[in-house]
Amino acid sequence: VCGYDVILVSSLSVKRRRGEKPAAAKRMEPYYETAARLALVWTQLVLLACGQSYCPDLCYCYQNLDPDSYTYTVDCSYKERTSIPRFIPASTTHLDLSNNNIGRIGKSDLAGLSSLVFLQLHGNLISEIEPGSFSDLTSLQALFIYNNRIRELKAGALVGLGSLYELDAHNIHLESFADGVFNPLTTVAYIDLSDNRLELLPPNSFNGLPKLRTLLLNGSFIHRIAKGALNNLPSLQVLNLDNNSLMRVAQSAFLTLPAINNISLEMNQYVCDCESSWLYGWLMKKGVVAGPVCTSPVPLLGRPLLQLKPQDICRPPRVAIAGPPYVIINQSATLMLFCNASGAPPPEVKWSINGTTFNLMDTRVASYNTSLRIRNVRVNDSGVYHCCASSGDTSVSSSVHVTVLDVTSENNISSIVANISTTAYIPCVIRPLPVALAVTWTFLNRPLQSLPKYTITSTSTLVLNNVTISDGGEYQCVVGGAIVLKRTLVTIAPPTITRFLRGSCSSPQYVTLNTSSISDFVCEAFGFPPPTVQWLYNGRNVSLSNPQSTFNSRTTVDRSNSTTRVSLTTPKVDGVMVISPDAGGNYTCVASNPYGSDVKTTIVDLVVALQPPANFDIFPNIISAFLNNFLILPCMVIAPPNVTVSITWTGPIPSNAFVSSSNSLVFVQPMGGEFICYAQGGRASINIVYNVALRDPPTILKECPMPTVSSLIGQTAWLFCNATGAPPPLITWYRGGVMISSSGRYTIGPSGYPGALVISMATTEDAGVYTCVASNIYNEMDSYGISLQVVRRPYFTQLPLSVGTAETTPAQLQCLGVGLPPPTITWWKSNGDISMATQVQPSSGVVMGDGYLVITMTSMLDRGYYYCNLSSPLGVVTSPQVFLNVYAPPVFLPSPSEIMTIEGTSRVTLPCPASSEPPPTITWYSNNLYLPLPGKQLQDRYGNLTVLGVVPQDAGVYTCIAASPGGVRSRAITLRVKVLPRASVAPPNATINESCQVTFSCLDHLAPPTNFMWSLDGNPLNDSDRVTIRPMGMLVITDVGAQDAGNYTCTVWGSNISEASSSTAILSVYVPVVNIVLPSIISPTPSSQLVPEAGTAQFICVAIGNPSPSIQWSFNSAPPLSLIRVSVTENTLTVQLLRSTDSGTYACIANNIHGITSRTFQLDVAVSPQFRVVPSPISLQEGRVLSLPCAAYSYPNPDILWFKDDQQLINPLLDTGTQSLQLYNTTPGDTGTYTCLARNFAGVIQYSVAVIIEPTTVPPTIVAPPISSVVAVGMSVALDCIVDGAPPPNITWFKDTRRLFGTRHVTVTSKSVYVGVANTSDSGVYMCVAENIAGRIAYQASITVVTALPSLSADALYSPPYFTTTPKDTSAAIGSSLSLHCQAKGSPVPQITWLFNNHPLLLFGSGDNMVAYDNGTLLITVLTRSDLGEYTCTARNTVGQSHTTITVTEATQT
C-alpha cells in the first residue's frame, strides 16, 4: 500500500460534507465521521511507514526526506479557514496559515508540533492566544502574527518559544501585555510590535532578552516608558520609537543598552527641558541624526532637539533683585521690590524675609511672582528680603537689606526762615541710621552740587552759606536712595529803594520842573517778599494831600528780581496838564514789607508853562488834507494875564501859503510836511508842531469774478492783496467775520509783500473765503474777497495685491486712494509693459466700483498684469503692477489607458502625466484605498505609481487624481497581470527504499495543471507497467529500482506552449548494496548570478555518492540566515524577495563517510538606482555657477545621462566624483528643464528640475529725486532725477500726466528737465519715471512760475540750502570711529541725506555700523575697509538743494 494517494481520502471527506444530506444520511453522519477518522489514522500510519506524511484537508504539503535536511511544509493559506486544521503532521517544519479567518488559537491547536520551524498566522482575525498555545513549539524560529486583533498578550502566551529568532506582531491592535510575557524568548533577535496601541511600556517589559538586536515600537501611541522597561538588553542595536506620544524619556531608559547604535524618536510630543539634556548629550554621542522634535516649551516649539544648543534646553536659573542692595523707606510708606529671574525652563519665584516665608494672611502683603508689595510698612518690617528662583532641583536667590525708618518728632518742623546773605541750617534727625549708608540732600528733587556753599555736618544737618533768594524751596534728606525728610527753606530780604525819581537815591533831593514838562516820578525798591511802595506829598498820600494836581499812580512788581516800581504820572484834562503852580513841595517814597522799610524824599519847584487852548484837540498835530482843498493851520496859546506872548512861524513860508492876521498859516493848495509855530512868554515857551499829510481813500486792486487760489496740503498758501491810498492803508484779513491775527501759522504782510496773507502748513480746515480789508485812520476802507482751495495730490491707501484663481471662478482686485478733490480710479491691464497697457472697461463679466475690479468668470484671457490709476486735476498716480494668475485645471498628456505585465515582474510603473501651473498634486486610488501602500507601491516625485513584486491580485483599475489650484481631474489606468505557468513538483526531492512506490505531484500555481508532460533526465515518460501518469498531473512509480533514480521534470503550459514552465524533482533510490563512492556535485546553476532586487535566486546542488552524501549550505562561510525568505530543500537553496545584503558567496557542501566536496556560487543582487537628493527648482543670477547633483546609488553603478529640454547633452562637464552637471558663466540661454537619468540592470530612475537663469537685475532706485521749485517769469529752472539700477533704468518725464518732450525753451534729457526761460505755462506737476526689467519707480515735483518773487532777506520765508559746516577729506585708522559733520541752513529747514559711492545709505539705528543724526552728523562707529570711499552730503528743501563730496581713506600706519 506504499504510495497510496492521500488526496483520495481528503476528497471523499469533502464530498461527504458538501453533498446532499437526506434524513437517512444525517442519521448515519456520526458513523461516517468515525469511519473517516479511522480511515485518516490508518492512512497516516501507512504513509508514515512509507516515509510520507498526511496532509490536512484543503492544504498543500511537500517534504524533503533527506535525514540531514528534512523539511515538511504545510501550506493552508488563503483558504478562508476559521480554525487551525486538525491532524497536522508532527514532522511539519513550515506551517502557513496566513490570510484566513482564524479567530482564536487554543492550547491544543498546535500541540505536538515540536519540529515546527516557521509559523505564519498573519492576516487572520485572531483575538486571543490561550496561554500555553505554543508550549510544544520548542524548535520554532520565526513567528508571524501581524495584522490580527490580539488586544492583550496574557501571561504564558509565548511559553515554549525558547528557540524563536524572529517575532513579527505589528498591527495586531495590541493594547497591553502581561508582565514577563516576552521572558521565554531567550534567543529572539528581532521583535516588531509597531502600529499597535500600547500607550505604556511597563517595567520589565523586555527584561532578560540577551540576544535581541532589533526592537520596533513605532506608531504604537506610547506616551511613557517606565523605569526598567528596557533593562538587560545587552545586544539591542536598533530601537525605533517613531510616531508615538512620548513627552519624556527617563535617563535610565537607554543607559542600560550598551550596544545601541540606531535609535529613532521622530514624530513624538517631546518636552525639551532640563530633564531632556541627558538625551540630547546621549544622542549626540551616539551620532543619531534624526532625534525628536520639541513640542514644548513654547520658545522651542517645532525645533528638532538635535539642532538646539545645550543652553537652549537647560539653563540654570538666575535671579537678581532690581535696585541697590540697601533700601531705605519711611514708616507707613509702600515697599515695592522686583525680582528679575531667568532660566530654561522658566524658574518658580518665591519671597521670604529673614528666612521666613511671608504670611499671606497679612492684608498688607501682596506677592505677584516676581514682585513683592507691602503697604503701610512698619519698623519691624526691616530685614533681609530673599527672592528665591527654583527650577527642578536647582535654586538660587538674591537678597536686599530693607530698613524702615521711624522719623522722629525733631523733624516735624516743616519750614525754616533765613535772611539773604546769612547762613541757614536744615536739620535731618534719623533713628536708626543704617550702617554704611551716607546721608545726602536734594533741592527741588535734584542732587546738590559739591560746592563750598553746601556743607553736611556729622549729624546730617545741611548748612547753606550766603543764602540767596533762589535758595528758597523744598530740600529733601535722602538715605540710601530714599527720601526720609522734606523741609522748606523760606528766604527773606528787608526793602531797599534802588531807584528814586530820576535815578539818584540820595535824600532829600531838590528838583525844578516846568509844569508843562512834568514826567513820571519813579520809585523802585528791592526786597523779599517784594515790598509795597507808595508816594507821600508833604507827609500825606499824594491823592489826598494835593487834590488840584492829582497824580495817576502805576505800580509794577517784578517778582523774578523781587522789585516793586511805582510811577506818578501827571494827568491831563482836555489834553492839557492840570498841574497848578502850588504843586511844589516835599515828595516822599516809602517801601515796606513784613521784614522792614526804606524812605526817600525830594523837594519840587514848579515853573508855570504856556499851554495851547483847551480846544486844541480840534487842531491836532497831525493834519490830513484832501487834495485840492483849502487848509488853515492856527497858532494860539494861553498864558497868565501878566505874560506877553510873541508868536512866529519858523522856517520859510511856502509860496502857496501866507500868515493871516490871527497868526494862522493859510494854504491855497495843501502840501505835505512839518510846520512849527513858536510862542514865548516870560520864562516859558512852547512849540506847536503840525505834520500835514495828503489824504487819499484806500483802493484795492481787484479781479472779477472772485479769484480762487489753490494750495497743497502741508505747503504754504499765499493770498495777495494790493491796495493804494494816502496815508498808506492798513491791511487786515477776515474769515467768516473773524479777524485773523499774525500768529502761529498765519503771517500778514511778510517782507516785500505788505498786504499778503501767508498760511503755512495748509490743512483742509483752511479752505474757504478770506476777505482783505484796506483801511486808514479816517475809517475809510475797501474790501476784497479771495477763495482758498486746499487740495491734496492723490495717493494710495490700499495697493492692489496679486491674486490667483481657478479658471471660471471670480477674481477680485481692490485699489483704494484719497485726494482732494477725490480721485477717479481706473484699472489697466498689460502684458508687463506698462506702455502697452489698455484700460479695463465695465462689461457683462467685469464689475467695477469703489476701487474694486471684479471679474465674475475668469478665463485664461484675463491672466496678466493689472494696475490702477488715481486721477485728479493734480495728477495721476500709478500703482505697482500686480499679477492675476488664472489657473487652468490639470491636463493629462497622452498615455496608455491599459498596461499589461507579467506576474513576478519586480516592478511596473503606472504613469500619470498630468500638467498644470503650478504642477498638480498627484494621488492614486484603487479598490477603496488611497495608495501607495507601504512596501507594495512607490510614488515618485512626478506622480508615477510603481507597483512592486507584481502578483495577480495587483490587477485592477487604478485612478490617478491630479489636483491643482485650477481644479481636480482624474484618469483611470487598467493594470492587467498575465499569469504564466509556474510548475512545481511535490515533493521536490525524494529518497526512497528500493522496491517501494513513489508519487510525484505536478502542480501549476499549486493547482492541477491543464497541460503537462513528465520526463526523466530529459527523456519523455509514458505509461508502463511500473510508471503511471494520472490526469491530475501525478506520476506514480511502483517497484522502484536503482535505474529509476534521476531528475524527474514536469513541464506545464497553458494555451501557448512557448510559455511553458518546468520543475524538477530528484529521486534518489537507496540500494542496500555497499558501493563506496566519494561524493561529487552536479549542478545546472551557473557559478555566478546577477539577480534584481526583490527577485528570487535558486541554487541547485545534486550530490552523488554512496552512501548518499548529506548537503549543507553556507553563506559567506557562515550558515545562511534561517528566515522565511530562505528555504532549503534536499538539493535546492531558494532565496526570495532578494535584498542587497543577500549578495555574497553561497556554498553547497556534500559530505559522506568517505569524504567531502563543495561548490560555490556567487550571487550579486542588482539594486535599482535611487537618488540621494533631488534638488528643488533653481533660480540663479546670470554669471553664477550652476551645479546640479545626480547622486544616484545602485549596484552595479549606474550609467548617468543628462538631458536639457528632452535633448541629450553631448559630453557635458561632470564632476568625476558626484556626476554633478557643472555649468560656468551661466546666461539666460541656459534656462530650461534638466533631467538626470540613472540606469543599470535593475532599473531606470530619473528626475527633472526647472532651472531659471535670471539676468542680473536691480530694481530702480531714485538716488537724488527732483525738488519742487518756485521761480519768476523769465528765470531758468531745472529738475534733476538721478537713478540707479541694473540694467540701467530708462527715464521718462511726464508733465501733468502727459509725456514730456523737448521744445525750444524746454530741454528734456534722461536725467533732467531744464526750462531755459520760464513762463506761466511751464507751471505744473512733473513726474520722473524710472523703469527696467526689475521694476518701476516714479517721483513727482512741481514747478510754480509766478510773476515776481519776494525779495529775500536773512529771515525770508524761502531760501535754498547753503552749508554752514562742510566735511573735508579725511583719513582714519581701520577699527576707529569717525564722525563726518555736515550742517546746512535754509528756509524751510533743509533735510540732510548721505550717499556712499553714489548709492544711498540706508541707516536703521544703533544696530548698524553707521548712524545719521538729525544735526547732519554721520557717525561710523567701527571703520572697516568696506567703508572707505566717497561720501556725498546733500541738503534739500522745497526751494532747492546743495551737495558736497568728501573722500575717506585709510590712515597710514606710523
Side-chain angles (χ1 to χ4, degrees):
V1 294
C2 288
Y4 186 84
D5 189 6
V6 68
I7 295 181
L8 294 177
V9 179
S10 298
S11 299
L12 289 173
S13 177
V14 170
K15 286 182 179 181
R16 183 186 64 76
R17 290 197 300 270
R18 295 181 180 177
E20 296 277 338
K21 294 183 179 180
K26 290 183 179 180
R27 288 194 301 270
M28 295 299 294
E29 191 172 44
Y31 301 100
Y32 293 151
E33 184 71 24
T34 301
R37 289 177 181 271
L38 292 174
L40 289 173
V41 171
W42 175 77
T43 303
Q44 277 192 302
L45 294 174
V46 172
L47 293 177
L48 287 173
C50 295
Q52 299 188 19
S53 299
Y54 163 73
C55 188
D57 186 21
L58 297 180
C59 299
Y60 298 104
C61 303
Y62 44 92
Q63 63 179 339
N64 175 17
L65 296 179
D66 188 337
D68 295 324
S69 58
Y70 176 81
T71 59
Y72 189 87
T73 301
V74 177
D75 186 353
C76 304
S77 60
Y78 295 97
K79 296 296 185 289
E80 298 184 1
R81 287 184 175 273
T82 59
S83 62
I84 296 177
R86 290 178 293 177
F87 304 114
I88 298 176
S91 59
T92 301
T93 59
H94 296 66
L95 177 58
D96 188 353
L97 295 169
S98 62
N99 300 294
N100 285 291
N101 296 324
I102 300 172
R104 183 180 181 277
I105 300 178
K107 192 171 183 179
S108 61
D109 288 342
L110 300 171
L113 300 181
S114 59
S115 300
L116 192 62
V117 178
F118 297 98
L119 175 58
Q120 295 168 265
L121 292 166
H122 55 276
N124 280 285
L125 303 176
I126 300 172
S127 61
E128 180 185 6
I129 299 178
E130 186 178 357
S133 297
F134 303 135
S135 58
D136 291 345
L137 308 186
T138 55
S139 301
L140 191 67
Q141 297 182 17
L143 174 60
F144 300 95
I145 57 174
Y146 58 87
N147 292 346
N148 278 289
R149 301 177 181 180
I150 309 170
R151 296 183 180 274
E152 179 185 10
L153 283 178
K154 299 178 182 179
L158 302 180
V159 168
L161 303 180
S163 300
L164 193 68
Y165 179 88
E166 179 178 1
L167 172 62
D168 191 343
H170 74 270
N171 191 28
I172 63 173
H173 299 78
L174 186 64
E175 297 178 357
S176 63
F177 48 82
D179 187 15
V181 70
F182 297 106
N183 289 355
L185 311 182
T186 55
T187 61
V188 70
Y190 180 95
I191 296 179
D192 186 354
L193 293 175
S194 60
D195 299 322
N196 283 297
R197 304 173 183 177
L198 292 174
E199 297 188 1
L200 169 67
L201 289 186
N204 301 318
S205 295
F206 303 99
N207 189 24
L209 304 181
K211 296 186 179 181
L212 181 62
R213 296 200 301 266
T214 300
L215 178 58
L216 306 183
L217 296 167
N218 47 296
S220 294
F221 299 92
I222 299 172
H223 63 79
R224 188 166 72 88
I225 301 177
K227 183 177 180 180
L230 301 174
N231 276 355
N232 195 18
L233 299 176
S235 303
L236 187 64
Q237 299 177 5
V238 179
L239 176 61
N240 191 329
L241 290 166
D242 285 347
N243 195 21
N244 280 293
S245 302
L246 288 172
M247 300 180 67
R248 285 187 174 89
V249 177
Q251 186 170 358
S252 59
F254 299 155
L255 297 185
T256 58
L257 307 178
I260 194 77
N261 57 28
N262 187 341
I263 184 169
S264 186
L265 287 163
E266 296 183 39
M267 299 179 67
N268 280 283
Q269 300 177 6
Y270 209 75
V271 178
C272 299
D273 56 10
C274 289
E275 295 184 27
S276 305
S277 58
W278 76 269
L279 180 63
Y280 173 86
W282 189 82
L283 293 176
M284 295 294 286
K285 182 179 179 180
K286 291 292 184 179
V288 177
V289 177
V293 175
C294 302
T295 59
S296 69
V298 174
L300 303 181
L301 179 63
R303 296 180 61 184
L305 175 65
L306 296 184
Q307 294 183 14
L308 301 176
K309 298 179 180 178
Q311 58 269 31
D312 296 333
I313 304 170
C314 184
R315 188 169 67 253
R318 296 182 179 180
V319 66
I321 295 179
Y326 294 91
V327 173
I328 310 299
I329 189 171
N330 285 334
Q331 188 174 237
S332 302
T334 298
L335 173 65
M336 288 294 298
L337 297 178
F338 298 92
C339 182
N340 298 323
S342 62
E348 179 185 3
V349 175
K350 292 183 179 179
W351 288 90
S352 64
I353 176 173
N354 298 327
T356 303
T357 305
F358 277 96
N359 179 15
L360 297 181
M361 298 301 293
D362 189 344
T363 58
R364 300 180 303 117
V365 179
S367 175
Y368 304 97
N369 192 18
T370 59
S371 65
L372 177 68
R373 183 188 69 192
I374 303 178
R375 301 179 185 271
N376 193 23
V377 293
R378 305 163 184 164
V379 174
N380 57 7
D381 290 327
S382 301
V384 180
Y385 286 69
H386 289 270
C387 171
C388 179
S390 303
S391 179
D393 298 331
T394 305
S395 298
V396 294
S397 64
S398 177
S399 62
V400 61
H401 293 258
V402 176
T403 301
V404 181
L405 297 180
D406 181 10
V407 180
T408 67
S409 59
E410 301 173 45
N411 295 320
N412 292 338
I413 304 172
S414 60
S415 62
I416 296 174
V417 179
N419 204 340
I420 62 172
S421 302
T422 63
T423 300
Y425 297 88
I426 307 176
C428 180
V429 180
I430 302 172
R431 296 191 183 94
L433 178 63
V435 180
L437 293 181
V439 177
T440 59
W441 286 83
T442 61
F443 174 53
L444 300 178
N445 295 318
R446 293 190 298 271
L448 291 178
Q449 298 181 357
S450 178
L451 298 174
K453 182 180 182 66
Y454 306 110
T455 304
I456 300 176
T457 69
S458 60
T459 59
S460 307
T461 297
L462 175 65
V463 181
L464 279 75
N465 301 307
N466 192 22
V467 175
T468 63
I469 293 175
S470 60
D471 291 330
E474 184 180 75
Y475 290 78
Q476 298 91 23
C477 179
V478 181
V479 180
I483 298 175
V484 300
L485 176 68
K486 296 181 180 179
R487 289 269 176 85
T488 300
L489 176 64
V490 180
T491 56
I492 64 172
T496 301
I497 296 178
T498 57
R499 181 180 179 189
F500 177 63
L501 222 64
R502 295 181 176 177
S504 174
C505 290
S506 60
S507 181
Q509 294 185 24
Y510 185 85
V511 179
T512 301
L513 296 176
N514 190 314
T515 58
S516 64
S517 61
I518 292 179
S519 61
D520 293 350
F521 287 2
V522 177
C523 180
E524 185 174 278
F526 165 78
F528 193 77
T532 300
V533 177
Q534 64 177 172
W535 280 95
L536 302 178
Y537 174 65
N538 292 332
R540 300 181 62 192
N541 188 284
V542 170
S543 60
L544 299 177
S545 61
N546 195 354
Q548 283 96 16
S549 57
T550 302
F551 288 89
N552 293 330
S553 175
R554 183 173 72 250
T555 302
T556 304
V557 179
D558 186 351
R559 297 191 179 276
S560 63
N561 294 321
S562 194
T563 59
T564 304
R565 176 175 178 169
V566 177
S567 301
L568 295 182
T569 303
T570 306
K572 292 183 179 182
V573 177
D574 295 332
V576 179
M577 294 183 182
V578 294
I579 304 301
S580 63
D582 58 356
N586 293 329
Y587 286 84
T588 302
C589 174
V590 179
S592 61
N593 70 6
Y595 305 103
S597 62
D598 193 10
V599 178
K600 299 294 180 183
T601 303
T602 188
I603 301 173
V604 178
D605 176 33
L606 293 179
V607 177
V608 177
L610 299 178
Q611 296 183 6
N615 59 349
F616 187 72
D617 58 348
I618 66 172
F619 302 107
N621 289 7
I622 299 177
I623 302 296
S624 63
F626 289 103
L627 295 176
N628 303 319
N629 284 1
F630 198 70
L631 176 61
I632 299 176
L633 303 178
C635 184
M636 59 185 70
V637 296
I638 299 175
N642 57 346
V643 176
T644 302
V645 178
S646 63
I647 296 175
T648 59
W649 288 89
T650 62
I653 303 300
S655 60
N656 60 341
F658 61 92
V659 179
S660 69
S661 58
S662 60
N663 294 322
S664 298
L665 184 60
V666 180
F667 287 86
V668 179
Q669 178 67 39
M671 63 179 296
E674 183 180 74
F675 302 93
I676 303 173
C677 171
Y678 176 75
Q680 181 171 357
R683 294 167 58 190
S685 63
I686 186 173
N687 286 334
I688 299 176
V689 181
Y690 292 93
N691 287 318
V692 178
L694 298 181
R695 179 174 171 184
D696 189 18
T699 303
I700 299 176
L701 302 179
K702 304 176 183 178
E703 298 180 17
C704 190
M706 178 190 299
T708 298
V709 176
S710 296
S711 175
L712 289 174
I713 287 180
Q715 295 194 2
T716 302
W718 285 73
L719 304 181
F720 294 97
C721 182
N722 298 321
T724 60
L730 173 67
I731 302 297
T732 56
W733 287 87
Y734 294 83
R735 181 186 178 196
V738 179
M739 187 175 72
I740 299 173
S741 61
S742 184
S743 63
R745 295 188 299 110
Y746 297 95
T747 302
I748 299 177
S751 176
Y753 290 87
L757 171 62
V758 180
I759 306 174
S760 61
M761 300 298 291
T763 66
T764 54
E765 289 76 10
D766 294 325
V769 176
Y770 291 76
T771 301
C772 167
V773 177
S775 61
N776 60 18
I777 59 175
Y778 309 109
N779 292 327
E780 297 170 331
M781 63 182 62
D782 193 8
S783 64
Y784 179 46
I786 300 178
S787 176
L788 173 63
Q789 181 183 17
V790 180
V791 297
R792 184 197 297 269
R793 291 193 180 99
Y795 67 93
F796 290 101
T797 58
Q798 178 175 329
L799 292 171
L801 300 175
S802 297
V803 297
T805 185
E807 195 173 15
T808 73
T809 61
Q812 175 179 296
L813 300 174
Q814 186 179 16
C815 166
L816 300 179
V818 296
L820 287 176
T824 300
I825 299 177
T826 57
W827 284 91
W828 300 75
K829 182 177 184 294
S830 72
N831 59 357
D833 184 358
I834 197 171
S835 63
M836 304 295 291
T838 58
Q839 186 174 353
V840 180
Q841 301 293 342
S843 65
S844 58
V846 178
V847 180
M848 301 170 62
D850 295 332
Y852 287 94
L853 171 62
V854 179
I855 303 175
T856 57
M857 182 175 290
T858 55
S859 67
M860 297 306 294
L861 296 177
D862 299 316
R863 189 173 185 267
Y865 290 90
Y866 290 78
Y867 65 90
C868 65
N869 279 347
L870 301 181
S871 305
S872 78
L874 299 176
V876 178
V877 183
T878 300
S879 73
Q881 294 191 91
V882 298
F883 192 72
L884 173 59
N885 204 343
V886 180
Y887 301 105
V891 176
F892 287 98
L893 302 178
S895 63
S897 60
E898 181 175 304
I899 293 179
M900 175 69 75
T901 188
I902 300 174
E903 178 193 16
T905 302
S906 61
R907 58 181 64 199
V908 62
T909 299
L910 308 181
C912 185
S915 174
S916 70
E917 179 62 33
T921 301
I922 304 298
T923 56
W924 286 86
Y925 185 82
S926 179
N927 295 328
N928 297 322
L929 293 175
Y930 283 99
L931 308 178
L933 298 176
K936 184 57 185 175
Q937 295 102 9
L938 298 174
Q939 182 173 331
D940 61 22
R941 62 191 302 266
Y942 304 103
N944 301 323
L945 183 70
T946 299
V947 181
L948 304 176
V950 179
V951 297
Q953 291 82 355
D954 294 327
V957 177
Y958 291 76
T959 301
C960 165
I961 303 173
S964 76
V968 179
R969 296 291 187 271
S970 64
R971 168 177 287 185
I973 300 179
T974 301
L975 175 64
R976 302 192 183 280
V977 179
K978 184 175 182 179
V979 179
L980 296 178
R982 187 167 69 231
S984 62
V985 177
N989 301 299
T991 299
I992 196 165
N993 295 328
E994 189 178 22
S995 301
C996 218
Q997 174 180 305
V998 65
T999 299
F1000 289 105
S1001 297
C1002 180
L1003 302 176
D1004 183 0
H1005 289 277
L1006 302 181
T1010 304
N1011 303 304
F1012 68 96
M1013 177 183 70
W1014 283 96
S1015 62
L1016 172 61
D1017 295 331
N1019 299 314
L1021 286 177
N1022 296 308
D1023 287 341
S1024 65
D1025 56 344
R1026 293 188 305 106
V1027 177
T1028 302
I1029 300 176
R1030 297 184 178 178
M1032 300 294 290
M1034 288 189 176
L1035 172 65
V1036 178
I1037 305 175
T1038 59
D1039 192 18
V1040 174
Q1043 70 279 11
D1044 296 320
N1047 295 328
Y1048 286 82
T1049 301
C1050 176
T1051 303
V1052 301
W1053 66 91
S1055 59
N1056 188 352
I1057 194 171
S1058 63
E1059 297 175 349
S1061 173
S1062 299
S1063 179
T1064 301
I1066 301 175
L1067 175 62
S1068 300
V1069 180
Y1070 179 73
V1071 180
V1073 179
V1074 177
N1075 183 17
I1076 299 174
V1077 179
L1078 292 175
S1080 61
I1081 296 175
I1082 303 172
S1083 176
T1085 303
S1087 60
S1088 176
Q1089 297 184 64
L1090 180 63
V1091 182
E1093 192 176 24
T1096 299
Q1098 191 174 64
F1099 307 96
I1100 299 176
C1101 181
V1102 180
I1104 301 175
N1106 195 11
S1108 296
S1110 63
I1111 295 178
Q1112 294 180 340
W1113 291 90
S1114 68
F1115 172 57
N1116 291 337
S1117 301
L1121 186 64
S1122 297
L1123 293 176
I1124 192 64
R1125 298 185 299 105
V1126 180
S1127 62
V1128 179
T1129 61
E1130 180 180 2
N1131 299 312
T1132 304
L1133 172 69
T1134 303
V1135 184
Q1136 299 177 342
L1137 298 175
L1138 286 171
R1139 304 173 182 171
S1140 59
T1141 55
D1142 296 327
S1143 297
T1145 301
Y1146 292 78
C1148 167
I1149 304 169
N1151 183 19
N1152 68 7
I1153 59 176
H1154 304 293
I1156 186 171
T1157 188
S1158 65
R1159 181 168 182 175
T1160 59
F1161 306 92
Q1162 179 65 35
L1163 173 63
D1164 291 314
V1165 179
V1167 180
S1168 62
Q1170 298 292 328
F1171 289 120
R1172 289 188 173 91
V1173 60
V1174 176
S1176 302
I1178 297 175
S1179 178
L1180 286 179
Q1181 289 292 326
E1182 181 179 5
R1184 298 283 299 276
V1185 177
L1186 173 64
S1187 178
L1188 294 176
C1190 191
Y1193 63 93
S1194 68
Y1195 183 82
N1197 290 332
D1199 297 326
I1200 303 297
L1201 301 177
W1202 279 97
F1203 298 82
K1204 178 179 182 287
D1205 296 332
D1206 297 330
Q1207 297 294 321
Q1208 184 175 354
L1209 298 179
I1210 306 301
N1211 298 323
L1213 178 60
L1214 301 179
D1215 183 275
T1216 56
T1218 64
Q1219 297 296 300
S1220 298
L1221 177 65
Q1222 306 289 324
L1223 293 181
Y1224 296 91
N1225 298 321
T1226 53
T1227 66
D1230 295 320
T1231 297
T1233 300
Y1234 288 78
T1235 301
C1236 170
L1237 184 145
R1239 64 185 182 186
N1240 70 355
F1241 169 76
V1244 178
I1245 191 173
Q1246 68 180 33
Y1247 83 83
S1248 297
V1249 60
V1251 175
I1252 299 177
I1253 306 299
E1254 299 180 350
T1256 301
T1257 60
V1258 178
T1261 57
I1262 295 182
V1263 179
I1267 303 298
S1268 298
S1269 299
V1270 180
V1271 298
V1273 173
M1275 295 178 63
S1276 63
V1277 62
L1279 297 178
D1280 296 324
C1281 185
I1282 302 176
V1283 300
D1284 191 13
N1290 296 320
I1291 297 180
T1292 308
W1293 286 90
F1294 295 83
K1295 177 179 180 288
D1296 295 333
T1297 73
R1298 293 187 178 182
R1299 180 76 178 271
L1300 183 64
F1301 299 95
T1303 62
R1304 284 188 297 177
H1305 77 290
V1306 177
T1307 303
V1308 179
T1309 68
S1310 62
K1311 295 184 178 180
S1312 65
V1313 171
Y1314 177 76
V1315 182
V1317 181
N1319 56 57
T1320 55
S1321 63
D1322 295 320
S1323 296
V1325 177
Y1326 291 74
M1327 182 167 64
C1328 159
V1329 179
E1331 186 172 14
N1332 64 10
I1333 60 175
R1336 178 176 182 270
I1337 193 171
Y1339 200 93
Q1340 292 181 345
S1342 62
I1343 294 179
T1344 304
V1345 182
V1346 297
T1347 54
L1349 285 175
S1351 60
L1352 300 178
S1353 60
D1355 58 347
L1357 289 176
Y1358 296 97
S1359 64
Y1362 62 94
F1363 289 108
T1364 59
T1365 300
T1366 56
K1368 301 186 182 301
D1369 292 347
T1370 184
S1371 298
I1374 300 300
S1376 63
S1377 62
L1378 177 63
S1379 295
L1380 305 179
H1381 303 286
C1382 180
Q1383 297 178 354
K1385 289 187 176 180
S1387 182
V1389 176
Q1391 178 184 7
I1392 302 295
T1393 57
W1394 288 89
L1395 302 178
F1396 175 60
N1397 292 336
N1398 292 324
H1399 292 279
L1401 280 178
L1402 302 179
L1403 306 172
F1404 297 104
S1406 60
D1408 296 323
N1409 189 36
M1410 299 184 185
V1411 181
Y1413 296 97
D1414 294 339
N1415 62 1
T1417 297
L1418 176 66
L1419 172 63
I1420 305 175
T1421 55
V1422 180
L1423 184 68
T1424 64
R1425 285 188 171 85
S1426 61
D1427 298 326
L1428 304 178
E1430 287 190 349
Y1431 289 81
T1432 301
C1433 170
T1434 302
R1436 292 188 183 88
N1437 64 7
T1438 57
V1439 181
Q1441 65 179 18
S1442 297
H1443 62 83
T1444 180
T1445 301
I1446 63 164
T1447 302
V1448 176
T1449 57
E1450 181 179 359
T1452 304
Q1453 299 290 335
T1454 58

